[in-house]
Amino acid sequence: MYELGEYLKEITGFDAITLQPGAGAHGELTGMMMVRKYFEKKGEKRTRVLVPDSAHGTNPASITLAGFKVEKINSDEKGQIDLKGLENASNQTVACLMVTNPNTLGIFESRIRRICEIMHSKGALVYLDGANLNAYMGIHRPGDAGFDLMHMNLHKTFSTPHGGGGPGGGPVAVKSWLEPFLPKPVIRHSSHYWLDYDRPDSIGKVLAFSGHFGVFVKAWTYIRMLGPEGLRDASECAVLNANYIRAGLEGIYELPYKGHSLHEVVFSGSNLRQYGIRTLDIAKGLLDYGLHAPTVYFPLIVSEAMLIEPTETESLESLDDFIKAMKEIAEQAKTNPDRLHNAPLKTPVQRLDEALASRKLDVNYEESV
Ligand SMILES: *Cc1c(COP(=O)(O)O)cnc(C)c1O
């Protein structure tokens, strides 16, 4: 655990770390509790936390749970934070800005240093939702860009497949000025390894033991096996794969934000609405190809959104299969839309009433003889 923490600090550019949080959202909450404690300790009353409108839904939830008021900052036409709006909203009552970078559109906030400067000039902190670390390992360190703290999702970037189910790991790395507030115990190493409970300003414990140990073993192994060059290579592959899909599907589906894509690309299925086809139909249609559908209807600022994130592990063949299926589905929307309205047809159960299915859960599958 100590070694994993050291590696993660080096990869992200921070001074101290906790591995305790059990997921990304839990990391956000832990971070926000530390931000609250930091200002309490300084005797400053700051009640507001700013979030861009492209943010993951967990961001406003964690901020609210930590006792702050959430305020939305709009994105500009390029899908990046609107600097004017940010400057207008920033003053001595703002505790923090929570940013995802690259954001949920897969676009890197190119003015991130300026954004951090604006917040710091008002005495506010900047939190990075680092769930998307797989976009820049070995290329960019958020700690060098001016962030004060961040969480990372070990269950997205470091070997556990995205969407592979729990448990997760959401370590939070911080700059030295936030170190006193880390959850306890903190793992230390001098002549031996030990757990440091003597931390009067700590926010306390946020999970049993020191977090989900099995996730740490996988992340540690992944980092050890790849090494510095391998981690950089993984990020470059993740970005290349997303851009390969972008190039393959541009013109077939709409691309609402045209900035450079990093690890993910967001298309819109709105051009198929003229045939009565919605993004949900496209996602269901993919199941008939034996493919896992991408995240749909998120981010919220894109109508009929499809957020496609192939990660570094997909082969050229599987990327080509996906592109081919997506092209065939777009064709089918024109020629046989009802086939898509009824999809999936090849799965054990067909199109479900989603609300009913989640309330009357039935996960049994009886094989017909
Ligand atoms: C996945 C994700 C989260 C939340 O992480 P969980 O582990 O699911 O709680 C937060 N922000 C972004 C950008 C994410 O992709």
Side-chain angles (χ1 to χ4, degrees):
M1 288 191 290
Y2 178 82
E3 278 181 14
L4 176 62
E6 292 301 298
Y7 296 148
L8 296 175
K9 277 159 55 184
E10 176 64 28
I11 291 166
T12 55
F14 286 88
D15 304 318
I17 195 162
T18 175
L19 302 182
Q20 261 183 51
H26 196 197
E28 293 165 20
L29 176 63
T30 303
M32 282 302 115
M33 288 163 71
M34 292 170 67
V35 169
R36 198 176 64 187
K37 197 94 194 239
Y38 170 82
F39 286 112
E40 266 172 30
K41 198 79 190 166
K42 285 182 90 171
E44 290 181 29
K45 193 161 169 48
R46 293 178 181 247
T47 50
R48 300 158 60 220
V49 173
L50 311 179
V51 190
D53 57 3
S54 57
H56 195 270
T58 51
N59 290 188
S62 313
I63 293 163
T64 306
L65 215 53
F68 291 108
K69 197 167 148 288
V70 181
E71 249 175 68
K72 195 169 80 177
I73 301 294
N74 290 328
S75 300
D76 62 16
E77 70 289 343
K78 287 183 173 158
Q80 301 197 27
I81 292 176
D82 176 36
L83 283 198
K84 270 271 157 314
L86 182 69
E87 274 173 328
N88 290 342
S90 305
N91 60 30
Q92 261 66 26
T93 65
V94 174
C96 193
L97 166 73
M98 187 182 272
V99 199
T100 305
N101 193 31
N103 63 27
T104 59
L105 296 163
I107 295 171
F108 194 85
E109 296 282 352
S110 55
R111 298 162 303 188
I112 195 63
R113 273 179 204 279
R114 178 80 197 107
I115 288 168
C116 291
E117 277 167 21
I118 292 171
M119 299 317 294
H120 289 157
S121 73
K122 308 288 178 191
L125 299 172
V126 195
Y127 181 99
L128 172 67
D129 174 337
N132 301 331
L133 196 63
N134 56 340
Y136 52 74
M137 288 182 297
I139 299 164
H140 160 76
R141 300 201 321 162
D144 300 338
F147 284 100
D148 298 280
L149 72 169
M150 72 175 287
H151 81 262
M152 53 211 92
N153 282 17
L154 298 184
H155 51 291
K156 285 182 183 172
T157 299
F158 295 99
S159 98
T160 313
H162 204 149
V172 178
V174 301
K175 290 288 189 180
S176 57
W177 43 96
L178 290 167
E179 198 269 347
F181 313 107
L182 283 173
K184 62 181 172 186
V186 167
I187 303 160
R188 300 247 186 249
H189 175 53
S190 39
S191 57
H192 60 291
Y193 296 97
W194 50 289
L195 296 176
D196 181 5
Y197 283 90
D198 183 19
R199 305 194 38 89
D201 289 328
S202 165
I203 60 162
K205 214 164 171 27
V206 298
L207 202 70
F209 184 51
S210 285
H212 291 144
F213 186 74
V215 181
F216 304 157
V217 175
K218 284 188 277 186
W220 182 89
T221 309
Y222 183 85
I223 293 169
R224 293 287 301 206
M225 283 182 72
L226 290 182
E229 284 85 31
L231 290 179
R232 187 182 171 119
D233 195 39
S235 278
E236 288 176 349
C237 282
V239 172
L240 183 62
N241 286 355
N243 280 280
Y244 187 79
I245 287 179
R246 173 178 167 153
L249 294 179
E250 225 177 321
I252 310 283
Y253 294 94
E254 257 169 61
L255 190 67
Y257 291 96
K258 300 196 169 42
H260 293 295
S261 293
L262 291 188
H263 65 300
E264 64 192 13
V265 56
V266 179
F267 280 103
S268 166
S270 54
N271 57 319
L272 300 188
R273 286 207 77 159
Q274 54 183 312
Y275 311 111
I277 293 299
R278 302 200 57 203
T279 288
L280 184 69
D281 303 313
I282 301 167
K284 297 295 182 191
L286 278 170
L287 301 181
D288 280 336
Y289 287 87
L291 294 170
H292 196 288
T295 298
V296 292
Y297 299 107
F298 179 81
L300 301 176
I301 55 173
V302 172
S303 74
E304 300 294 324
M306 292 180 279
L307 185 161
I308 304 172
E309 181 177 8
T311 79
E312 77 277 15
T313 51
E314 296 298 338
S315 65
L316 187 57
E317 290 72 27
S318 67
L319 295 176
D320 283 336
D321 283 348
F322 177 77
I323 291 169
K324 185 160 168 278
M326 288 291 281
K327 283 183 172 168
E328 284 178 15
I329 287 171
E331 205 41 48
Q332 214 168 63
K334 296 171 202 164
T335 56
N336 187 6
D338 273 344
R339 169 73 181 69
L340 282 176
H341 289 141
N342 296 324
L345 298 175
K346 297 181 183 169
T347 47
V349 289
Q350 272 81 55
R351 184 73 68 105
L352 295 173
D353 175 328
E354 305 226 331
L356 194 66
S358 72
R359 281 163 187 73
K360 289 194 171 174
L361 198 63
D362 176 6
V363 293
N364 291 315
Y365 170 49
E366 281 169 38
E367 210 169 337
S368 52
V369 194

